[in-house]
Amino acid sequence: MVNITELALPFMTRQALPVNKKTGVTSALRFIAAVILTLLCGSLAQAAEIDVSVDRNPVSINDSFQLTFTASETPDDDPDFSPLEHDFDIINQQQSSQSSWINGSFSKTVQWTLTVMAKHTGRLLVPVIRFGSDSTRPLTLTVTEADTAHNSNDELFLEVEATPEQPYVQAQVIYTLRFYRRVQITQASLNDPEADNAVVEKLTEDSNYNTRINGVAYAVTERKYAIFPQQSGQLTIPPLVLTAQVVSDASSRFNGFFSSQVTKTKRITSRPVSLNVLPAPISAKGIWLPAEQVHVEQQWSNDNLQVKVGEPLTRTLTLLAKGSTVGQLPELWSGKDIDQVKSYPDQPTLKEKKSSEGVIAFREEKIAFIPSRPGTYQLPAIDIPWFNTKTQKMETARIPSVTLTAIASTAAVASPPQAAPPQAALPQPVALSPQSASANDLWMWLAIFFGSGWLLTLLFLLYRHLRKTPEKEAPVDRKQILLKDINKALKEACRKNDPQAAKQALLQWGKIQFSANSLGAIAPFCEARLRDEILRLNQYLYAAENSAWDGKRLFQTFAEHNARKQIKQPVEDELEPLFRV
């Protein structure tokens, strides 16, 4: 949810300036100095913003967790954490600070990280913590009963869970893995969860904490994933396999100075997880966007929505969706011109932010509007229908219609005729002698000769520049135009469920991008989901018995593939070890 905070501007009440002749100037200067000092004190007295966050929520009664207090600048005083002791035990406390200088702007961040354990279960309140005159906001978290499902004799075990277990198609599922251990290990490796017809995204970094099960202390490493099922029906996430190097008890008997640790390899697996993926409800028509929260807003380069004829007025549209990917976000501006108003959209900006709560997708579009005639023009409202996965109801994010006002430019207004100034008496021409006339003719011909040479040189350089420039720039421009046309053709073919037209568009795209001339040759260059859809289309075209083909799924994966290429996120070839000493 996007919170918009309005800035409050300080106002000063007017006071009458003294008018005494002797002391008037001194009093006025004192008054101006007091005003400046008041403004400076007001700006310096702003309270530091201090945020409080928890590494996970809910937590078990026997689990340690971290509370992090982050200040954007140095607070008024040291923190007083004593109010926490009513409901929590403070196990450890650390403080760190970080300063940066970016684009001429200095920023400083101060953090206090507390490792705590809850004293009792239920909904507990992290109270207000004061830093002198500055303070934090309260935070609520849920503390659950201890987990007693595992045997205390287990040295290592994995625990997995998925929430919710009955998601809607393309909706976000949080898959949580916990690795429990009560022995020393030197290294551990784990495979990522995989599922057919699903997109799997790893969320944030691993978190580590301690807990007790049946009185036995365990160290826990927690890892979270976001899974987006792409097809309704039963979806099974296979067991995960973890391989660990466990330090043997024999190491303690031979723990000399030159002795190395004796380890043994252990392999453990998790339980499989089954999800019942529900189809989109009948009430969902057109765009299908499942999310937890959706927010859409607009900004204008001119707040009064007034522009001169022939000049641009820029509109910025922003769409945020929590629990969705950038590939699922729809276009915000249809691109249709209004009568007498031309629109010029830029390439959209696509971003994703990952946290322990899931994925937040971001789309921004900038459109420049240029009116050709004076008048008022109305832009239609923008409606983004979306499905709320929490309330399981359809909702609409809306930007109301907007009225633009175009005024005539100053250049277009004709200036009123002015009376001609009285002409002064012109001087009489002076007769030139034959010698002066011949000298003037010589200088005139010399000026024409040198001017012609300069003009020919300029034309020659301009010709060489025009001859070379298109050779460098034309291929790039033509490629972008062709890719844009291919994207439109594929979108239209998928909308009509026309497999032959979709094949032709993909072949053109593959030839430009990968120099591939068949669907089978294009597929290996694409990510897994797009590869599967291309192979499914290829099988549909050449199979003896054709089943149903869904063009919407092909274009969905194609758009998401292009969106991910634009984001240019680094790809991790291998997982870092879960634990290493």
Side-chain angles (χ1 to χ4, degrees):
M1 181 71 68
V2 178
N3 297 322
I4 301 176
T5 306
E6 296 183 355
L7 300 178
L9 299 177
F11 289 90
M12 299 291 296
T13 56
R14 294 185 177 180
Q15 298 181 5
L17 291 175
V19 295
N20 188 286
K21 293 183 179 179
K22 295 182 179 180
T23 62
V25 175
T26 303
S27 300
L29 291 175
R30 288 178 179 175
F31 174 74
I32 294 173
V35 171
I36 295 174
L37 182 61
T38 303
L39 292 176
L40 289 175
C41 292
S43 62
L44 295 175
Q46 293 179 354
E49 295 184 0
I50 305 174
D51 296 329
V52 57
S53 61
V54 61
D55 62 344
R56 64 189 187 282
N57 189 10
V59 297
S60 172
I61 182 64
N62 289 332
D63 291 355
S64 65
F65 60 96
Q66 290 184 342
L67 288 174
T68 303
F69 300 83
T70 305
S72 57
E73 55 184 274
T74 303
D76 180 62
D77 202 351
D78 293 334
D80 178 16
F81 293 123
S82 59
L84 286 172
E85 298 176 356
H86 182 266
D87 293 321
F88 305 94
D89 290 323
I90 301 177
I91 300 173
N92 189 23
Q93 176 180 335
Q94 294 180 342
Q95 179 181 350
S96 62
S97 62
Q98 182 178 1
S99 301
S100 62
W101 186 276
I102 301 176
N103 296 331
S105 177
F106 177 78
S107 63
K108 181 179 181 180
T109 301
V110 186
Q111 276 192 346
W112 290 263
T113 303
L114 276 63
T115 303
V116 301
M117 292 186 70
K119 294 182 178 180
H120 48 84
T121 61
R123 290 181 61 83
L124 302 186
L125 182 70
V126 177
V128 173
I129 302 300
R130 300 197 175 277
F131 295 69
S133 60
D134 301 325
S135 61
T136 65
R137 294 182 179 180
L139 175 69
T140 303
L141 60 91
T142 302
V143 180
T144 60
E145 295 289 346
D147 185 6
T148 59
H150 294 278
N151 193 333
S152 59
N153 293 326
D154 295 337
E155 293 181 340
L156 310 171
F157 64 89
L158 293 175
E159 181 182 80
V160 292
E161 64 177 355
T163 306
E165 294 184 352
Q166 286 192 343
Y168 282 85
V169 62
Q170 295 185 346
Q172 177 179 262
V173 177
I174 301 298
Y175 181 87
T176 305
L177 161 79
R178 299 183 184 91
F179 171 38
Y180 293 80
R181 59 193 179 277
R182 62 179 181 87
V183 291
Q184 183 182 359
I185 64 176
T186 59
Q187 186 173 332
S189 60
L190 176 73
N191 65 313
D192 283 332
E194 296 180 355
D196 295 334
N197 297 315
V199 176
V200 181
E201 298 281 351
K202 183 178 180 293
L203 302 176
T204 64
E205 297 297 325
D206 300 340
S207 61
N208 297 281
Y209 56 93
N210 300 312
T211 188
R212 301 184 71 86
I213 300 178
N214 296 331
V216 180
Y218 281 87
V220 184
T221 297
E222 184 176 283
R223 178 177 290 186
K224 289 190 175 185
Y225 299 85
I227 299 179
F228 298 87
Q230 301 298 308
Q231 185 175 347
S232 60
Q234 197 73 14
L235 176 64
T236 300
I237 304 173
L240 303 184
V241 180
L242 183 139
T243 303
Q245 301 295 324
V246 180
V247 178
S248 173
D249 294 337
S251 298
S252 60
R253 299 196 299 268
F254 304 100
N255 193 16
F257 183 79
F258 296 101
S259 301
S260 59
Q261 289 182 326
V262 179
T263 62
K264 58 182 179 180
T265 303
K266 276 200 171 186
R267 180 171 296 171
I268 56 176
T269 60
S270 67
R271 65 178 179 88
V273 175
S274 295
L275 303 176
N276 182 24
V277 183
L278 305 176
I282 301 176
S283 58
K285 298 180 181 180
I287 298 174
W288 170 243
L289 177 60
E292 296 179 15
Q293 294 178 2
V294 171
H295 176 81
V296 61
E297 65 179 16
Q298 65 175 345
Q299 292 181 346
W300 290 89
S301 57
N302 190 351
D303 292 336
N304 60 11
L305 302 180
Q306 192 175 84
V307 63
K308 294 180 180 179
V309 171
E311 295 184 2
L313 181 64
T314 303
R315 184 189 203 184
T316 302
L317 299 173
T318 304
L319 176 62
L320 293 172
K322 182 180 179 182
S324 179
T325 62
V326 292
Q328 297 173 260
L329 301 184
E331 296 180 359
L332 301 177
W333 176 246
S334 62
K336 295 181 180 179
D337 290 333
I338 305 172
D339 187 25
Q340 305 301 331
V341 178
K342 291 288 186 181
S343 60
Y344 300 90
D346 288 343
Q347 287 293 328
T349 300
L350 305 174
K351 296 179 182 179
E352 283 183 355
K353 181 181 179 182
K354 298 176 182 178
S355 67
S356 60
E357 297 180 355
V359 180
I360 299 178
F362 169 90
R363 182 184 181 96
E364 181 183 82
E365 297 180 11
K366 290 182 179 290
I367 310 99
F369 296 94
I370 302 180
S372 58
R373 291 185 180 179
T376 57
Y377 304 95
Q378 188 168 12
L379 302 182
I382 298 177
D383 292 329
I384 306 296
W386 64 285
F387 182 77
N388 192 324
T389 55
K390 290 186 174 181
T391 62
Q392 298 188 359
K393 294 181 180 179
M394 289 295 300
E395 298 184 15
T396 301
R398 180 181 176 86
I399 292 181
S401 60
V402 177
T403 301
L404 308 181
T405 302
I407 59 177
S409 61
T410 54
V413 179
S415 57
Q418 298 181 357
Q423 296 183 354
L426 297 177
Q428 296 296 326
V430 180
L432 297 177
S433 63
Q435 293 82 2
S436 61
S438 60
N440 287 338
D441 291 341
L442 176 62
W443 284 111
M444 180 184 69
W445 286 110
L446 287 175
I448 292 175
F449 174 79
F450 288 112
S452 300
W454 176 82
L455 181 60
L456 290 174
T457 303
L458 179 62
L459 290 175
F460 176 73
L461 294 176
L462 183 61
Y463 169 76
R464 290 186 60 185
H465 175 74
L466 294 177
R467 183 181 177 185
K468 292 181 179 181
T469 303
E471 295 179 359
K472 297 180 180 179
E473 298 180 355
V476 178
D477 294 339
R478 283 199 298 268
K479 180 179 178 181
Q480 296 300 327
I481 294 173
L482 284 174
L483 289 176
K484 190 174 295 185
D485 293 340
I486 291 171
N487 185 79
K488 293 180 180 178
L490 180 61
K491 182 177 182 180
E492 184 66 17
C494 292
R495 186 183 67 83
K496 295 180 179 180
N497 269 345
D498 187 345
Q500 290 293 342
K503 172 190 173 183
Q504 295 302 321
L506 285 173
L507 289 177
Q508 295 177 12
W509 176 70
K511 186 175 181 180
I512 295 175
Q513 295 287 63
F514 316 114
S515 299
N517 297 318
S518 67
L519 295 181
I522 295 172
F525 291 99
C526 306
E527 62 180 16
R529 289 184 57 234
L530 180 56
R531 178 198 64 205
D532 294 343
E533 289 300 325
I534 293 176
L535 294 177
R536 187 176 288 112
L537 171 62
N538 194 44
Q539 182 181 6
Y540 173 84
L541 290 171
Y542 299 103
E545 296 181 0
N546 291 338
S547 58
W549 176 73
D550 187 4
K552 182 179 179 181
R553 285 177 51 185
L554 171 61
F555 188 76
Q556 177 75 24
T557 56
F558 182 81
E560 189 164 347
H561 172 85
N562 290 337
R564 293 186 190 281
K565 290 294 183 183
Q566 182 178 350
I567 295 176
K568 296 181 180 179
Q569 293 179 335
V571 179
E572 298 180 359
D573 295 331
E574 296 181 358
L575 285 176
E576 289 292 328
L578 287 175
F579 184 83
R580 181 181 293 169
V581 294

